[in-house]
Amino acid sequence: EDSEVRTNAYRTHFSDRWIRDELQIFAGGATGVDILDRHKIGRDPGNCSRNENTASEGGGVFVANKDGCVRAIRSYMGFNSAPYLQRQHFFYEQQQTISTYIRAHDTVSDFRDLYDYSPAASGMRYFNDLNLPGVLIDGVPDDVNHGQIHWEMVTGVQGTIIMCHSRETDIPNYRTHSFYGDDATPERVQCTGDPYQYGTSGLDFDPVSFTDPVLYPTSYSSLAFSRIDCYGAPSQTIDAAILHHLRSTTPLQVKAVALTPPPPIFVDNDAGNDPIGNDPRSSDPLEDGSPEHPFDTIQEALDYAWAGDTVIVLDGAHTGAGNHDLDFKGKAITLRSQNGPSGCIIDGQDRYRGFVFHSGEHQDTVLRGLTIANCAAERGAGVSCVDGSNPTITNCIFRENSALGSKSRAPDAYGGAVYCQASSPQIVNCTFYGNSAKTKGGAVFCEGGASTVTNCIFSVNKPDHVYGTGVNVTYSAIQGGWKGEGNMDRDPLFADASQGDFHLKSQAGRWDPVGKRWTADNVTSLCIDAGDPAYDVGSEPEPNGDRINLGAYGGSVEASKSR
């Protein structure tokens, strides 16, 4: 075998199931020399009847070398006459966890798990929790304290390895003991690896009997031990080892709490604390987007907001600087009116564009419940979506917006209300009335992308309603007709389009925004209950026919009622 695991922090190598014979540390500018002779498992030094060599030669099975984006796994079983003994390695970028499950049919005595370092480890220092001053690894024997330990550390210019030990067993009062040997000329033969002992260290286990669950299914003892090896920068102190040990023995504490949505951000161009109403040049000095101190302009709120925020625009006609050419700047923000499109108007004053999406916005960027009126631009007077921007536009009214063109720059003009270039917005439950373009796409013009238009109403747009490629219109009322599932050519029967009231007439009742009441008509619009059946009726009042209405009020509390 010739297997290795390599990360930015370390590299280690296996030449057979149980034979790990190289370790290099790269973290923090470590030298990267191979400091490991062998990861040894077996009996007393000099007793060569059981060790990693004989384990690899004996019966057993290699389970897996498996790597992935988070960790790599290595697993194998079998150790001479203990075929169910198992070891698993979990490798992470700067750490390795090694778990060994003792499953032997007879008494296991003189069992040790050690790291024997190579001569290249000379100059490093060895520490454990019984030998805090540490000893130098140099091939010269040292006097050290022995006993039950919880962590070890070897550190020097070659890098740092911190080893934290744990065990799981049902054997009462079971203990492990530390082992350390540093001798370039050891008296006892080294059964595996090179003939030296450089900083050989690890654990010596008490004898254990009958740990094989196959032979002793009702009376076997359970024993497993683990070491967590952390690979770090050169020449660390024992504080690092103590910290790693605490982390390895302290369970991760997790607490689940309900997420609290961030408070909405408010915009009011005539707030009570403004020195002069309807004048963004005269602002509340304490404005912060709260209900008490709202922003004067929509752009202020969009700039202040983070992804996931909601900006609420209060009723009024929002005009002038900070209320045109509005830019979400790629943020996943919901911008909506407080009370629906009837009273919340973005007015371009026949000079300015309403909104521009040009920063790769996605469907979680939402424009909802606004009237966008009297806007003007060469292309996309109400909304321009370019360069792969795909916002969601819903429950909006587009009226009397114009793409007029420019003699000096663009004699052709497209998309009086919405212009899409290589973009795929979702336009749902919107009303397009009286929009115009000098060339094509009086309401919507698309070139490229895959825009969708659903549950919308198009009326009195010039020279046409929708034009271009990459647009799919379904379940919409389009004056003059349009091919597509669920589309129809019907008079929407607006309440009073000349006065900006685009509620649908209904004998069962429609909302009157002026009188603030429900009123009944002598006719009912066929746009009621004509939306895509896959859409929920949302907040539509009863009776609603269990199907969403077309137009800007579909799915809302102001949706006209069904007969």
Side-chain angles (χ1 to χ4, degrees), residues 519-538:
T519 186
D521 299 294
N522 58 3
V523 292
T524 295
S525 170
L526 293 178
C527 295
I528 294 173
D529 298 342
D532 188 336
Y535 280 72
D536 191 90
V537 296

Side-chain angles (χ1 to χ4, degrees), residues 30-348:
T31 61
V33 298
D34 175 18
I35 61 172
L36 184 66
D37 174 34
R38 283 292 183 94
H39 179 180
K40 295 191 172 186
I41 185 169
R43 294 181 169 176
D44 259 340
N47 183 346
C48 299
S49 61
R50 296 290 187 270
N51 56 60
E52 70 273 11
N53 280 7
T54 62
S56 291
E57 295 164 359
V61 61
F62 180 82
V63 179
N65 270 351
K66 187 174 182 63
D67 63 347
C69 58
V70 174
R71 65 184 180 184
I73 302 173
R74 179 178 174 85
S75 180
Y76 42 96
M77 295 178 66
F79 196 95
N80 299 96
S81 57
Y84 296 106
L85 195 146
Q86 182 182 6
R87 175 167 282 177
Q88 292 183 157
H89 301 252
F90 291 85
F91 300 94
Y92 303 90
E93 184 171 358
Q94 207 163 346
Q95 173 179 303
Q96 176 186 185
T97 299
I98 309 171
S99 297
T100 305
Y101 303 89
I102 305 298
R103 295 166 179 164
H105 56 269
D106 206 345
T107 300
V108 177
S109 59
D110 299 326
F111 181 77
R112 292 178 175 177
D113 184 77
L114 310 173
Y115 280 177
D116 181 22
Y117 297 95
S118 71
S122 293
M124 302 181 80
R125 293 189 68 84
Y126 171 82
F127 303 83
N128 63 36
D129 47 333
L130 297 181
N131 293 274
L132 299 181
V135 292
L136 183 67
I137 298 176
D138 57 1
V140 178
D142 302 283
D143 290 327
V144 297
N145 298 317
H146 294 279
Q148 184 164 305
I149 60 173
H150 300 96
W151 60 263
E152 304 173 274
M153 179 171 70
V154 172
T155 186
V157 296
Q158 300 92 327
T160 299
I161 174 173
I162 298 171
M163 298 147 281
C164 302
H165 301 286
S166 64
R167 66 182 184 278
E168 294 183 14
T169 184
D170 56 7
I171 303 172
N173 302 316
Y174 190 79
R175 295 180 62 85
T176 59
H177 310 272
S178 61
F179 177 89
Y180 184 78
D182 189 29
D183 194 343
T185 58
E187 294 182 2
R188 293 186 177 182
V189 64
Q190 300 299 296
C191 300
T192 63
D194 63 32
Y196 320 112
Q197 275 190 336
Y198 277 89
T200 304
S201 50
L203 299 182
D204 188 352
F205 293 82
D206 279 354
V208 57
S209 300
F210 311 125
T211 55
D212 188 335
V214 176
L215 292 179
Y216 307 100
T218 61
S219 60
Y220 73 94
S221 299
S222 175
L223 174 61
F225 63 93
S226 298
R227 60 160 72 223
I228 300 176
D229 293 354
C230 300
Y231 306 104
S235 305
Q236 299 196 33
T237 67
I238 61 172
D239 291 338
I242 294 171
L243 177 61
H244 277 290
H245 175 250
L246 288 174
R247 288 174 174 170
S248 70
T249 57
T250 303
L252 180 65
Q253 300 296 314
V254 178
K255 182 180 181 181
V257 296
L259 288 176
T260 301
I265 300 166
F266 290 88
V267 178
D268 185 356
N269 61 359
D270 190 20
N273 290 309
D274 287 345
I276 302 176
N278 295 302
D279 186 352
R281 296 170 298 178
S282 177
S283 300
D284 175 3
L286 299 178
E287 67 177 21
D288 57 5
S290 64
E292 298 78 18
H293 303 284
F295 288 111
D296 295 308
T297 69
I298 297 171
Q299 191 63 59
E300 283 182 293
L302 292 175
D303 291 342
Y304 179 81
W306 292 77
D309 282 341
T310 296
V311 176
I312 297 178
V313 184
L314 274 65
D315 287 351
H318 298 266
T319 63
N323 291 313
H324 61 75
D325 294 286
L326 294 164
D327 189 351
F328 282 66
K329 300 178 180 178
K331 301 177 186 176
I333 300 168
T334 294
L335 175 68
R336 67 174 180 85
S337 63
Q338 185 178 43
N339 300 307
S342 296
C344 188
I345 303 168
I346 311 301
D347 190 337

Side-chain angles (χ1 to χ4, degrees), residues 318-321 324 346-353 373-376:
H318 298 266
T319 63
H324 61 75
I346 311 301
D347 190 337
Q349 301 175 298
D350 296 321
R351 289 186 291 172
Y352 306 111
R353 172 182 284 127
N374 306 316
C375 294

